[in-house]
Amino acid sequence: MPGLNDPLMIVTDLDGSLLDHHTYDWEPARTWLERLSERKIPVVICSSKTAAEILPLQRQLGLSGAPYIAENGAIVQWSGSHEAALLPRSKSYSDICQTLQKLRERYRFKFTGFADVSEKEVAEWTGLTPHDAALAKMREGSESLIWRDTAEQFIAFEQALSAEQLSLVQGGRFWSVMNQGAGKGAALAFLLQHFRHPLGHRWVTIGLGDGPNDAPMLDEVDFAVIIKGYSKTPVTLQRADTQHFFRSARFGPEGWSEGLTHFIHQD
Ligand SMILES: [Mg+2]
């Protein structure tokens, strides 16, 4: 088991993990966040949220300056500047929206994306304030949508996206359309190549997430915490090293703290 003196990096989902799924509260994680901050252990947010949403949350959580992964892995940021870096060879947000529009006209798919609606509607879907909903609409590398068509059409939709080098990832509330190979796991691998430990140590990574979109990230870390969640689709990992993953008994930030207490040895 790693200890607080090891070169730890925490990689965490937000909704349903560090933040409560319903209220966005994170109070139960405060003690652990303070402990990690005292040791200068980076806490990397890895979320479906946009960079515009993550930056103020980083400030509230005391995590400013840490790297982050936004839009389910479409955006990786580690330099400390406010420039988000798109992974190479990827379609921009407007390219993705144009492709979606083209597919909708060609195949009559029924779905509603963030680009199709006002911030008022996004606020109603998410329970966010209109101000925060506007931040959720400031997308750079993926589109969030609600599927409103049949299961058969859904399979056709996945195939049509694949032919356009796009993929579909299930988040807590929405489907994300993003560049192929840009999920949370690929984004974390990319980050680990570029964001080095200050003393050159290999990072010991602990990942925490509650949804199927977190699985590729949880397969990429050294220690994985699957937080008890509300998703109908179970979180299944490829890894078989059962002593390196843990399923929390509690939901949200309480399960988050439970997972860190399970894995991090405290002297
Ligand atoms: Mg989640």
Side-chain angles (χ1 to χ4, degrees), residues 13 15-17 210 214:
D13 173 50
D15 290 356
S17 298
D210 71 319
D214 297 309

Side-chain angles (χ1 to χ4, degrees), residues 100-109 111-112 116:
L100 283 171
Q101 188 53 31
K102 183 181 78 181
L103 297 179
R104 172 151 54 193
E105 284 164 14
R106 188 180 300 165
Y107 300 103
R108 308 263 168 244
F109 293 133
F111 58 82
T112 313
D116 303 322

